[in-house]
Amino acid sequence: MSGSKDEGGGVAPQNKGSWSSFLKSIASFNGDLSSMTAPPFILGTTSLTEFSAYWTEHPSIFVTPAAEQDPAKRALLVLKWFLTTLKQSYSSRNDKYGSEKKPLNPFLGELFLGKWEDQAGTTHLVSEQVSHHPPVTAYCIWNDKHGVQLQGYNAQKASFSRTIHIKQIGHAVYTLSSHNNETYLITLPSLHIEGLIYGKPFVELNSCTYITSSSGYIARIDYSGKGWLSGKKNSFVATLSPIGREKEVLYTVEGQWTDSFTIKAGGGSGLKKHSAEPIETYNAKASKTTPLIVPPLDQQDPYESNRAWQHVAAGIQKGDMDTVHIEKSKIENTQRELRRKEQAEGREWPRRFFKRLQGDRDEVFEKLAKPCGERIEAEKTGGVWRFDERKKAEREGMAVAPNDAPQSDAPQKS
């Protein structure tokens, strides 16, 4: 593989030395993404805390299940919404920059707050870095007009075997209060980076994920990519069935999550396509996203991502690595000092919008996880994290920093 004439073909000549060094350095890598050092030209200006917004860049699709009265069709609409999030979550950086970028590593307490406004009304977002060792982001997204809420948390574990493999640890929970708090457990896909050897990395999803509902349905999504001889990149086949009767497929969805997919009634994919009747085709490329509204920098909390990282991001955009190093060091040193102070005082950093569940147990999760065999790995995420519902009002009226925030426009990471 290293002898290919196309190796590093996507890398500018002046960057090939650092790219080769990077490939050698990750050959034995095994750990969380925050400890991975990448060459400057693949550094991104977006913090991982901001990635939570990818869940809802189509707010009207996010709330559509609330209006459906048939429980099976509601489950299908939840599945459709999830599938529409994949392109933004795992391909938008590639679409924007031409290749995947390494995100900024959030500091403990970092916030990303915003809202979407469209025909669905107002949809709110709260994203918070609730743990730094291990790095964990928690999020809650809600639309009160339609009674829809999504919350969850995730960490990443990276390893190297021919390329970078990333296991996502955590889950999401989608709730419809307008349907007696009908709840859906969403598991998170593992992924790996394709095109790394050529200097044009992009994400490919692995294996399968599940969506299980309290109304009695289970969706299974199987992911595949382009092989040596056949297949298309970013492909998937999803089925929706009653729990316990998985062979009784009610709906099948098949296609590419970066391009288009077709929803069909009944089972069948591949050679059995004739056995399923097409209902709808969704074009991910043509579907416009709704921009997230965030306050101007001077109105943001000092802990909000865009304000906190503004000088680092500016340095990356200019290719000024000296500025990037200086500004990141400010963040790191302040965070280290905060951790030392907390340790000396026998306390930990107070989370702003989320709480850690006692006993690392969640009855809703445990019930919904049984059909798909999912389990909580609290030891890898610093606990089980849930949104503190009492903080909704604070979120909507938030204007200033917490009293114990460091006096700096660049809250810092350890």
Side-chain angles (χ1 to χ4, degrees), residues 89-265:
S89 295
Y90 303 107
S91 181
S92 59
R93 279 90 55 199
N94 195 289
D95 294 341
K96 184 176 181 179
Y97 302 113
S99 67
E100 188 61 43
K101 299 292 184 180
K102 182 182 184 295
L104 296 169
N105 305 318
F107 53 84
L108 181 59
E110 182 176 331
L111 302 170
F112 187 61
L113 312 173
K115 63 180 180 180
W116 295 271
E117 298 278 4
D118 69 350
Q119 58 266 39
T122 301
T123 305
H124 295 278
L125 164 70
V126 169
S127 182
E128 179 176 359
Q129 193 72 6
V130 294
S131 175
H132 188 66
H133 294 296
V136 180
T137 304
Y139 50 86
C140 185
I141 301 166
W142 69 92
N143 183 303
D144 286 333
K145 178 181 177 181
H146 295 274
V148 180
Q149 182 194 78
L150 175 80
Q151 66 167 309
Y153 63 94
N154 67 284
Q156 298 87 24
K157 174 83 171 186
S159 60
F160 186 86
S161 176
R162 295 179 65 85
T163 188
I164 298 172
H165 296 264
I166 300 172
K167 178 185 179 182
Q168 297 197 89
I169 305 167
H171 59 272
V173 177
Y174 178 100
T175 304
L176 294 167
S177 62
S178 55
H179 292 278
N180 297 315
N181 287 325
E182 184 173 282
T183 306
Y184 296 76
L185 172 67
I186 302 168
T187 66
L188 307 177
S190 295
L191 55 101
H192 67 275
I193 307 298
E194 291 278 7
L196 194 63
I197 194 70
Y198 306 115
K200 298 188 70 174
F202 67 90
V203 170
E204 189 65 86
L205 302 182
N206 302 332
S207 190
C208 68
T209 59
Y210 295 90
I211 302 175
T212 60
S213 74
S214 60
S215 56
Y217 297 92
I218 182 169
R220 172 177 170 138
I221 307 103
D222 288 280
Y223 305 98
S224 62
K226 181 175 176 60
W228 287 103
L229 300 176
S230 62
K232 297 179 179 180
K233 76 173 188 176
N234 307 145
S235 296
F236 74 91
V237 176
T239 57
L240 180 70
S241 311
I243 291 176
R245 306 199 309 274
E246 282 73 10
K247 292 184 178 180
E248 300 176 22
V249 177
L250 303 177
Y251 298 99
T252 303
V253 190
E254 186 174 21
Q256 293 172 273
W257 48 267
T258 47
D259 193 346
S260 65
F261 56 80
T262 300
I263 301 172
K264 297 169 282 187

Side-chain angles (χ1 to χ4, degrees), residues 51-73:
F51 281 29
S52 304
Y54 293 139
W55 282 107
T56 324
E57 296 202 338
H58 299 96
S60 293
I61 301 177
F62 174 65
V63 304
T64 298
E68 177 57 58
Q69 297 306 307
D70 180 86
K73 291 180 179 179

